[in-house]
Amino acid sequence: MTVTIPEVISEPRILSERLAALRRQGKKVGLVPTMGALHDGHLSLVRQSKELCDVTVVSIFVNPTQFAPGEDYEKYPRVLDADLARLESVGGVDFVLAPKPADIYPEGFDAHVHIGGVTRRLEGEFRPTHFDGVALVVLKLFNMSGADLAFFGQKDYQQAAVIQKMVRDLNLQIGIRVCPIVREADGLAMSSRNKYLSPSERAEAPVLKRALDLARRMIAEGESDTGRIKEKMRELIGSAPSSAIDYISIADPETLDELERVGGGAVILLAVKIGSTRLIDNTLVPSDI
Ligand code: PAF
């Protein structure tokens, strides 16, 4: 196995120059945007990029504009050395962009990106400024890298839908690949925020996946009334003493409009607080389950 030590760059302009030179040589560039605290879910995105592209760039930036006041921006884990060690162990990452906030949002910065439609419900209701911040930084990362492909996890299903809509609505010349959720052995979806869970909360957290599995079983057995499915999911999640549900949604996989009946395909999405940690998860239900 060839070991690649990524070149760590903090200045976006330098990354743009390096990548432009490689693109002129005909190299295909893959971008994996992250906020660091890398886990196996992120590494699966890196592997996909390595498979499909000649050059892989991972960005590590805890983006302040996607956090509202009172959210976890300050306490979000920042472990750059450990992240770089993980990327070295996977190999094949050519560049890491690790900018400071002022490199991305310099003095006088005053631009906004708002994507409508899929941003309105679910996370958009609970975190009204979140997707504007995500769209802004992701658009900047797309522009800085000039990447051919960008890789996102299905765990943030609505985020991936927002980014796909941004690409369509703004005619961006980049392909988006959404990669499957990577889970712990007990079903908990990997997330940098899992680190916030106390041992007893960690033991309760797989209830999200169990609720999604219950919904899938009910649908497979012929239940199509989403109200009844959500009621059973609510009961199951409620059995975890530290849980508080923000939403359970059974929606159209494209528009994220709520469904009253499951007929064609659907996506089931959850946001649940376990103690003070807010977790999200989802599952896609094919029409022929
Ligand atoms: O999914 C994330 O980690 C972030 O929302 C992203 C896409 C890197 C933008 O900051």
Side-chain angles (χ1 to χ4, degrees):
M1 188 184 84
T2 48
V3 177
T4 326
I5 308 231
E7 182 180 340
V8 182
I9 296 178
S10 61
E11 168 64 50
R13 186 183 48 82
I14 296 185
L15 181 77
S16 300
E17 285 168 10
R18 300 293 303 257
L19 293 176
L22 288 162
R23 284 201 318 278
R24 280 196 295 275
Q25 292 166 28
K27 305 279 190 206
K28 186 168 174 179
V29 174
L31 171 69
V32 180
T34 82
M35 298 206 299
L38 302 180
H39 49 66
D40 286 352
H42 295 116
L43 300 187
S44 76
L45 307 181
V46 169
R47 284 192 193 95
Q48 268 296 297
S49 174
K50 279 167 51 182
E51 209 172 297
L52 298 177
C53 300
D54 306 304
V55 175
T56 290
V57 187
V58 175
S59 63
I60 297 182
F61 178 59
V62 184
N63 172 38
T65 61
Q66 70 190 75
F67 291 81
E71 290 187 347
D72 55 342
Y73 175 65
E74 274 83 20
K75 82 164 183 181
Y76 200 89
R78 289 163 173 83
V79 289
L80 183 60
D81 289 345
D83 287 342
L84 294 176
R86 292 216 75 180
L87 293 176
E88 270 176 41
S89 75
V90 178
V93 175
D94 302 277
F95 299 98
V96 170
L97 176 69
K100 298 204 172 34
D103 295 319
I104 301 292
Y105 303 116
E107 188 66 30
F109 180 90
D110 191 8
H112 303 270
V113 180
H114 177 76
I115 306 299
V118 286
T119 53
R120 284 190 198 109
R121 299 188 51 244
L122 310 172
E123 290 303 294
E125 257 171 66
F126 285 85
R127 307 181 70 194
T129 58
H130 174 65
F131 287 126
D132 287 2
V134 170
L136 176 63
V137 80
V138 168
L139 181 58
K140 282 178 69 90
L141 291 167
F142 287 177
N143 287 337
M144 282 166 203
S145 61
D148 298 280
L149 289 180
F151 298 83
F152 295 89
Q154 190 201 311
K155 211 227 16 147
D156 295 292
Y157 188 93
Q158 192 177 7
Q159 168 173 279
V162 171
I163 289 162
Q164 283 167 316
K165 181 160 170 51
M166 175 171 80
V167 167
R168 277 196 308 275
D169 286 2
L170 301 181
N171 304 90
L172 304 180
Q173 297 303 303
I174 187 166
I176 303 300
R177 295 288 179 276
V178 182
C179 304
I181 299 177
V182 178
R183 297 182 180 279
E184 304 285 356
D186 61 7
L188 177 63
M190 290 198 184
S191 162
S192 307
R193 289 189 167 98
N194 292 350
K195 288 191 168 71
Y196 300 156
L197 297 165
S198 71
S200 67
E201 291 165 350
R202 174 65 188 80
E204 289 181 35
V207 77
L208 277 80
K209 173 65 163 56
R210 293 213 311 276
L212 294 172
D213 289 345
L214 169 67
R216 289 181 70 97
R217 265 198 317 276
M218 288 178 76
I219 295 167
E221 284 163 9
E223 181 60 85
S224 64
D225 182 323
T226 57
R228 275 202 289 268
I229 299 168
K230 287 185 213 171
E231 198 180 302
K232 290 287 176 204
M233 293 174 77
R234 228 173 265 122
E235 267 173 34
L236 176 59
I237 295 170
S239 70
S242 318
S243 69
I245 298 170
D246 272 358
Y247 60 76
I248 298 176
S249 168
I250 304 182
D252 178 281
E254 297 285 319
T255 61
L256 293 183
D257 290 338
E258 203 62 28
L259 297 173
E260 278 177 20
R261 297 209 152 265
V262 183
V267 58
I268 309 177
L269 306 113
L270 286 175
V272 177
K273 285 204 194 85
I274 302 286
S276 57
T277 304
R278 189 169 182 279
L279 302 176
I280 58 173
D281 201 349
N282 67 80
T283 188
L284 269 168
V285 183
S287 47
D288 59 348
I289 190 175

